[in-house]
C-alpha cells in the first residue's frame, strides 16, 4: 500500500513528503529469496517479466493522465532485466521513482545503472539479524543487505526501511527504529504481515492479534515522537476512532464534501500493474472484478474513464462498505484498512450487482 | 542516554507483561487518539503501573480543545491527573502537559 492514511504529520525534513499519484509496478515475481512473509509468493523459480516496451507505453499514457510516480516492487525488482529502461524512461518523463528491494543485489553494475534513475529505495528489513535471516530463508542475508545499505549511503541515495510486522518482530521495534536512524534511513514503513501468498501458510503462527496491534500502535506513537523529523514512520494500521473522524483514510475522500466524480478520481491515486500486466486500482491482490485493463491491450485511450463509468460505483460501494465495517465494529479498534479493502473485494460476491 | 534506555526497557517490560490486558491497551490507545484529535503532540507514553498510564504531551496554552476537553475527561472519571508546566511560562505555543489516565 502507499502511505495514504498514515495518521501523523508529514515531516518536510525527511524529504519523504509530497503529493503523488503512483503506479505500483510488479514487473516480475522472480526473486533471489524465498521469504516466509511474502504476500506475492515470489521466488527464484519464476523466470518471466513484463515486456518492457508495453510497460513503457502504459507509463507514458498514465503520466499523461496525471500519474507522477512509479514504485517498483516484485519479486526483487533488480532481477527484472529491463528495470534500467523502465526507471530511465519514467525519469525522462519527470516522474518520481521508487523501488522496494531486499538490498542484496545492489552491488552489481546493473544495480548501479538502475540507481542513477531511482529517487528513493525502500529496503526490506525483518528485524534483528537472526530473525531477518530466518524470515529470508538464508543465513547471512542480513549482512548482505547491510552491504547494500552501505552502497546507498555512499551514493547519497535516499533510502528507507520497510518492515513486515509479525507477532514476534514487534518487540524489536525500538531496536529497528534505532537501527534505521543509525544507518541513515529517512523512512520506516511498518506493514502488518498479511494473510496472503506464502505468508498464509508459513506465517500463520505470527499473525497479529488485537492486543499486539494496540502495542504496536502505542510503540509507534512513542517512536514517532522520539525521532520526530529525523525519521518518518508510517504505520499501515489505524485506530477506528481516527478513521471515523477521517473517512478519507479508507474511502480516499470525505463523503460530506465530495462529488461522485471527485470521489472516484481520488480513489484512483494509486494503481497497480501486476506481474501479468493487469492494471488494478488501490492495492495488489484486489479482486479481478476491479481490473482496469492490461498493459498488453492495443490502445489505452479512455481506459480510466471507461473503468470509472463501468465499475466506479462498485468501487465506491467497496470503499463505503469497508469504511462502515470498520466504524461499526466496535470490537476491533486497530485496523489494517488496506488489507480489509482487498479482503472485502474478494469476499463480496454481490458487489457487481448492487 | 542511560535514562532513555531505562525508560524504554520499562516501557517494553510493561508492554510485554501478560498482566497488561487487551482492555487496558484499548484505553491507552483511545486516550492517545483523543489527545491527538484535540491537537496535542504526543511526547511519550509511560505505563506507570498496571492501572494507569501517563501521556506526556505538548500543545499550546490554553490546552488544545480548551478546558472543556479536560473537564469532560475528568467528569468521565478516566483522567486521574492533569498537569501543565512550566507555570508562568513565556512561550505559550509549546507547553508540556501530562495526562494520567486510570484503566
Amino acid at each position: 500500500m502507499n502511505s495514504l492514511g498514515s495518521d501523523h504529520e508529514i515531516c518536510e525534513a525527511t524529504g519523504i513528503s509530497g503529493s503523488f499519484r503512483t503506479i505500483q509496478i510488479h514487473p516480475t515475481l522472480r526473486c533471489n529469496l524465498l521469504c516466509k512473509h511474502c504476500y506475492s509468493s515470489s521466488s527464484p523459480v519464476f523466470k518471466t517479466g513484463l515486456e518492457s516496451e508495453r510497460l513503457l507505453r502504459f507509463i507514458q499514457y498514465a503520466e499523461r493522465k496525471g500519474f507522477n510516480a512509479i514504485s517498483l516492487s516484485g519479486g526483487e525488482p533488480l532481477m527484472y532485466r529491463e528495470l534500467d529502461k523502465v526507471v530511465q524512461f519514467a525519469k525522462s518523463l519527470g516522474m518520481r521513482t521508487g523501488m522496494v528491494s531486499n538490498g542484496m543485489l545492489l552491488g552489481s553494475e546493473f544495480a548501479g545503472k538502475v540507481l542513477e534513475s531511482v529517487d528513493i529505495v525502500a529496503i526490506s528489513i525483518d528485524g534483528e539479524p537472526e530473525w531477518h535471516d530466518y524470515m529470508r530463508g538464508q543465513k547471512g542475508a542480513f549482512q548482505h543487505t547491510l552491504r547494500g545499505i552501505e552502497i546507498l549511503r555512499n551514493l547519497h541515495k535516499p533510502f528507507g526501511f520497510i518492515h513486515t510486522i509479525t507477532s514476534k518482530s514487534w518487540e524489536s521495534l525500538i531496536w529497528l527504529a534505532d537501527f534505521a536512524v543509525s544507518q541513515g534511513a529517512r523512512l520506516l514503513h511498518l506493514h502488518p504481515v498479511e494473510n496472503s501468498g506464502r505468508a498464509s501458510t508459513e506465517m500463520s503462527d505470527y499473525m497479529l492479534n488485537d492486543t499486539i496491534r494496540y502495542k504496536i500502535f502505542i510503540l509507534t506513537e512513542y517512536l514517532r515522537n522520539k525521532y520526530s523529523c529525523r525519521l518518518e514512520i508510517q504505520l499501515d494500521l489505524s485506530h477506528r476512532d481516527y478513521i471515523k473522524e477521517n473517512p478519507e483514510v479508507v474511502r480516499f475522500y470525505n463523503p460530506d464534501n465530495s462529488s461522485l466524480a471527485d470521489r472516484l478520481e481520488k480513489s484512483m491515486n494509486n494503481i497497480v500493474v501486476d506481474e501479468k500486466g493487469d492494471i488494478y486500482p488501490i492495492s495488489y491482490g484486489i479482486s479481478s472484478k476491479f481490473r482496469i485493463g492490461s498493459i498488453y491491450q492495443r490502445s489505452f485511450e479512455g481506459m480510466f474513464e471507461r473503468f470509472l463509468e463501468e465499475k466506479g460505483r462498485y468501487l465506491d460501494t467497496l470503499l463505503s462498505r469497508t469504511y462502515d465495517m470498520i466504524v461499526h465494529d466496535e470490537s476491533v479498534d486497530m485496523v489494517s484498512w488496506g488489507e480489509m479493502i482487498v479482503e472485502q473485494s474478494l469476499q463480496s460476491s454481490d458487489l457487481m450487482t448492487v | 542516554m542511560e535514562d532513555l534506555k531505562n525508560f524504554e526497557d520499562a516501557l517494553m517490560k510493561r508492554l510485554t507483561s501478560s498482566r497488561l490486558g487487551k482492555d487496558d491497551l484499548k484505553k491507552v490507545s483511545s486516550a492517545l487518539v483523543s489527545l491527538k484529535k484535540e491537537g496535542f503532540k504526543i511526547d511519550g507514553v509511560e505505563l506507570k503501573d498496571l492501572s494507569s498510564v501517563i501521556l506526556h504531551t505538548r500543545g499550546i496554552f490554553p490546552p488544545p480543545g480548551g478546558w472543556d476537553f479536560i473537564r469532560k475527561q475528568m467528569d468521565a472519571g478516566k483522567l486521574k491527573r492533569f498537569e501543565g508546566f512550566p507555570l508562568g511560562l513565556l512561550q505559550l505555543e509549546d507547553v508540556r502537559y501530562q495526562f494520567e489516565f486510570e484503566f
Side-chain angles (χ1 to χ4, degrees):
Chain A
M1 295 298 294
N2 62 6
S3 61
L4 275 170
S6 51
D7 51 348
H8 61 287
E9 290 172 38
I10 296 294
C11 215
E12 294 293 336
T14 59
I16 306 295
S17 60
S19 175
F20 297 109
R21 294 189 71 202
T22 305
I23 316 169
Q24 197 188 97
I25 305 167
H26 297 256
T28 180
L29 291 189
R30 194 167 184 216
C31 189
N32 52 324
L33 294 172
L34 202 65
C35 301
K36 292 182 171 54
H37 56 49
C38 187
Y39 63 82
S40 63
S41 301
S42 300
S43 82
V45 300
F46 291 102
K47 302 289 179 205
T48 57
L50 297 177
E51 284 176 36
S52 65
E53 292 309 315
R54 303 285 188 144
L55 183 57
L56 301 191
R57 208 166 56 92
F58 174 68
I59 291 172
Q60 187 165 34
Y61 171 74
E63 192 272 335
R64 286 207 312 270
K65 289 289 175 184
F67 286 88
N68 57 359
I70 63 166
S71 171
L72 289 140
S73 183
E76 167 55 50
L78 286 169
M79 294 199 80
Y80 176 55
R81 288 185 186 146
E82 293 172 291
L83 183 65
D84 52 344
K85 280 188 203 162
V86 176
V87 289
Q88 278 163 15
F89 182 71
K91 272 322 279 177
S92 74
L93 295 176
M95 298 174 90
R96 170 116 164 163
T97 53
M99 172 171 89
V100 180
S101 168
N102 57 45
M104 293 172 71
L105 306 174
L106 286 169
S108 70
E109 198 181 320
F110 177 67
K113 205 166 148 193
V114 168
L115 286 173
E116 284 173 16
S117 301
V118 171
D119 295 314
I120 185 162
V121 182
I123 299 288
S124 316
I125 298 280
D126 296 327
E128 296 184 54
E130 201 180 324
W131 178 251
H132 180 90
D133 287 0
Y134 169 73
M135 291 289 281
R136 301 272 143 182
Q138 193 174 111
K139 204 167 164 41
F142 187 86
Q143 284 307 319
H144 271 290
T145 299
L146 266 188
R147 284 198 282 276
I149 292 168
E150 196 180 344
I151 289 167
L152 295 175
R153 246 193 335 263
N154 290 339
L155 290 170
H156 304 291
K157 184 66 63 184
F159 66 93
F161 289 165
I162 182 159
H163 172 73
T164 301
I165 323 174
T166 67
S167 63
K168 181 178 163 66
S169 75
W170 77 270
E171 290 183 30
S172 299
L173 283 183
I174 290 178
W175 175 86
L176 184 63
D178 286 349
F179 177 68
V181 170
S182 72
Q183 293 294 311
R186 299 183 186 186
L187 168 76
L188 176 59
H189 185 164
L190 305 172
H191 186 77
V193 60
E194 289 182 30
N195 192 16
S196 58
R198 194 174 299 116
S200 60
T201 50
E202 300 264 344
M203 297 300 294
S204 52
D205 292 341
Y206 294 102
M207 294 292 158
L208 305 181
N209 61 30
D210 292 344
T211 306
I212 293 173
R213 284 171 181 236
Y214 284 126
K215 292 176 181 182
I216 292 166
F217 179 70
I218 292 166
L219 261 183
T220 304
E221 286 303 329
Y222 168 71
L223 291 170
R224 276 180 182 153
N225 166 70
K226 181 179 175 186
Y227 290 111
S228 190
C229 286
R230 280 186 293 162
L231 181 72
E232 163 111 1
I233 303 182
Q234 293 176 2
L235 173 64
D236 290 346
L237 265 182
S238 293
H239 195 287
R240 191 167 47 83
D241 290 348
Y242 178 80
I243 292 173
K244 216 169 169 176
E245 293 291 322
N246 302 276
E248 64 273 18
V249 168
V250 175
R251 297 174 78 156
F252 299 95
Y253 55 83
N254 187 332
D256 296 334
N257 56 19
S258 301
S259 65
L260 183 63
D262 181 45
R263 287 144 82 148
L264 295 176
E265 193 178 308
K266 284 188 173 145
S267 58
M268 294 278 284
N269 271 345
N270 195 61
I271 56 170
V272 178
V273 176
D274 74 9
E275 69 283 358
K276 294 193 276 300
D278 288 330
I279 304 156
Y280 291 99
I282 301 176
S283 183
Y284 186 87
I286 201 164
S287 164
S288 57
K289 285 178 282 196
F290 290 99
R291 183 175 174 275
I292 298 170
S294 165
I295 64 162
Y296 294 113
Q297 66 191 57
R298 189 180 293 171
S299 164
F300 302 125
E301 279 320 308
M303 174 194 263
F304 294 126
E305 292 82 355
R306 246 189 334 274
F307 170 77
L308 291 177
E309 197 177 83
E310 290 168 12
K311 300 179 184 173
R313 63 197 172 100
Y314 303 120
L315 184 64
D316 199 40
T317 305
L318 168 69
L319 300 175
S320 305
R321 273 191 190 177
T322 310
Y323 173 78
D324 289 345
M325 218 165 74
I326 291 170
V327 298
H328 292 129
D329 182 0
E330 297 195 353
S331 66
V332 182
D333 284 335
M334 303 302 311
V335 292
S336 178
W337 48 269
E339 198 180 352
M340 284 181 76
I341 291 172
V342 171
E343 275 173 16
Q344 189 67 13
S345 78
L346 297 168
Q347 286 166 8
S348 304
S349 53
D350 64 328
L351 257 179
M352 294 301 190
T353 54
V354 257
Chain B
M1 204 62 190
E2 196 57 32
D3 283 354
L4 182 68
K5 179 141 186 11
N6 291 340
F7 178 84
E8 289 179 347
D9 286 347
L11 176 64
M12 286 312 294
K13 200 173 163 189
R14 293 275 187 272
L15 282 176
T16 50
S17 163
S18 57
R19 288 164 62 203
L20 190 64
K22 183 179 163 184
D23 286 345
D24 304 326
L25 290 159
K26 185 181 172 80
K27 286 170 190 164
V28 177
S29 305
S30 294
L32 274 168
V33 174
S34 65
L35 290 179
K36 283 183 75 174
K37 189 181 138 195
E38 291 303 327
F40 289 95
K41 290 181 179 173
I42 309 297
D43 268 350
V45 181
E46 189 180 344
L47 293 165
K48 193 180 166 197
D49 47 43
L50 291 172
S51 64
S52 70
V53 58
I54 299 176
L55 299 179
H56 300 263
T57 71
R58 268 177 302 128
I60 52 168
F61 185 86
W67 297 109
D68 271 359
F69 171 73
I70 311 293
R71 208 170 294 122
K72 270 182 204 161
Q73 300 291 320
M74 289 273 189
D75 290 348
K78 287 188 270 184
L79 186 60
K80 183 177 164 189
R81 184 172 61 86
F82 167 74
E83 281 178 17
F85 53 93
L87 295 173
L89 43 117
L90 295 170
Q91 207 179 343
L92 297 177
E93 293 81 24
D94 193 22
V95 182
R96 282 172 289 155
Y97 295 105
Q98 274 188 17
F99 291 82
E100 184 170 353
F101 289 92
E102 274 183 316
F103 293 153

